[in-house]
Amino acid sequence: MRICAIETSCDETAVAIIEDGKTVLSNVVSSQINVHQAFGGVIPEVASRIHVENISLVLKEALSEAKMNLDEVDAFAITHGPGLVGSLHVGLITAKTLAWYTQKPLIPVHHITGHIYANNFVSELSYPMLALVVSGGHTELVYLKEEFNFEILGSTQDDAIGEAYDKVARVMGLSYPGGPVIDRLAKSGEAHYKLPKIKTQNPFDFSFSGLKSAVLQLVHKQTEDLNHEDLAYAFQEAAVGELMLKTRLALDTYPVKHFVLAGGVAANSRLRELVLGLNEEYPDIQITIPPLWCCTDNAAMIGAVAYIAYKHGVQADLSLSANPGLDYA
Amino acid sequence: MITLGIDTSFHYLTLVLFDEEHVLASVQKEAFKKQSELVLVEIEQLFISAGLTPTALEAIVVTDGPGSYTGLRIGLTIAKVLGSLAHIKIYTLSSLHVLAGIEKDIHVLLDARAKRAYYAHYQQGNVVEEEQILPIEQLAKHISFDDQLIGDGALIDRETFYPDYTEHFIQLKDKWILVEDIDALVPRYLKTNEAYQP
Ligand SMILES: [Zn+2]
């Protein structure tokens, strides 16, 4: 089954053709990052406009890379939430138009489930599975008792981890997006600054606003020049440490066969290192991290999960609408 | 030539399926902020009631602005996708012009928010005053009481009136603009062009 997947939930216009949820026939992503960098964040109206500019080119490129005609596509998959409503609309109209014109099924996808099932490109997934989802909009521990069955064990009570990185980067006068910059600086940093411990009510929940405030205080209080490398190190160790702490707790509490990392922040080098390190502590649990190309938003992952969703009977009609605050569990 | 007319630029979702001079099926309904949800459902319905399959479609004439940004992107995205992948000819038409049709002498006024309105003046399908965005205060003076008016007249203490304009798509055939480079097609947002100086 060849699925043409479309993803426009934020600032990437992406189309991919995926065969049987596993084989990437094409994966085209047109990023707007350079435009939004100038504003220090994504401007929704600008993002929607650029999606309209790019959509036909990206579609054509995805089909030609896969050496396919439109009528050889078996189904169309679309991210219908969560995300920016204006951006979601462009992809949604595209997918609905194509599904109608070709009279093929339309498969609605929750963006985060795409990130989780991106790991399907790396290895066969087994259940029960635990996923640590880390991105600019999400930070959560998701338990999948069986295939395509999602239960959120805990989530962030304030900022998402990616958001926290962006905010800290801004406070430190670094560029947007904050994740890669802080990750790079932290590599040459040392333990020097002390940041407070994080507390949450639900043991599986996360919180990052306290860390952000602590960094802000340090920046404001400091009379001599702050050591950026050391501050980045302190923040990264604290933030990533919080993720690992809650992950371990979940792995100790639930019968997990497979643990996967998911989302944009899965590209963080320190987090990848620590997650792979879990192997020694939990030798019976299979551990998978997504390939770097699949951490940023793309449509390949949407095609991967759409195949699973379709097997589970998920299909939408042409009245499908964008849902910026869509839930999946 | 089986052609689909699409207008999603303002309050309405207006779709017309026609063949040369005859309307095969059409719909014009109030659908503000519901256009994205309804548009493909209605298109599908139009083809079913005309007894046509989607692949019978040969051309699209779509309003490309001015109007609601979100609304314009809906019609334009459909046109871009089918124009680039299904080799369907794409034509554009002004969203104010399509409301005016071939009326003898008509002013079109549509709310652009922030005390401004989109405005144009047409005679028998020809442009007398180009579409522009103007302060409502200024338009109230510009449009005289005897002038025939279509659109959000209430903005200047006149009657708000929208005609059934499904037939206008065909009547204005000589005003359609063929889109040569489909990938470069984008809505004419108008506001960002700073078409007016305060
Ligand atoms: Zn994402």
Side-chain angles (χ1 to χ4, degrees), chain A residues 111-112 115 135 263-264 295 297 301:
Chain A
H111 181 82
I112 295 301
H115 276 299
S135 74
C295 290
D297 286 351
M301 66 184 199

Side-chain angles (χ1 to χ4, degrees), chain B residues 125-169:
Chain B
N126 295 311
V127 178
V128 178
E129 283 174 273
E130 284 282 356
E131 57 193 29
Q132 51 196 305
I133 183 164
L134 290 169
I136 286 164
E137 216 178 308
Q138 193 178 327
L139 278 165
K141 289 177 205 143
H142 183 79
I143 302 168
S144 83
F145 200 73
D146 313 320
D147 288 338
Q148 283 260 44
L149 189 64
I150 283 181
D152 300 321
L155 291 173
I156 56 165
D157 293 324
R158 294 273 298 265
E159 201 188 331
T160 287
F161 166 70
Y162 285 89
D164 175 343
Y165 62 101
T166 50
E167 300 251 1
H168 296 187
F169 281 92

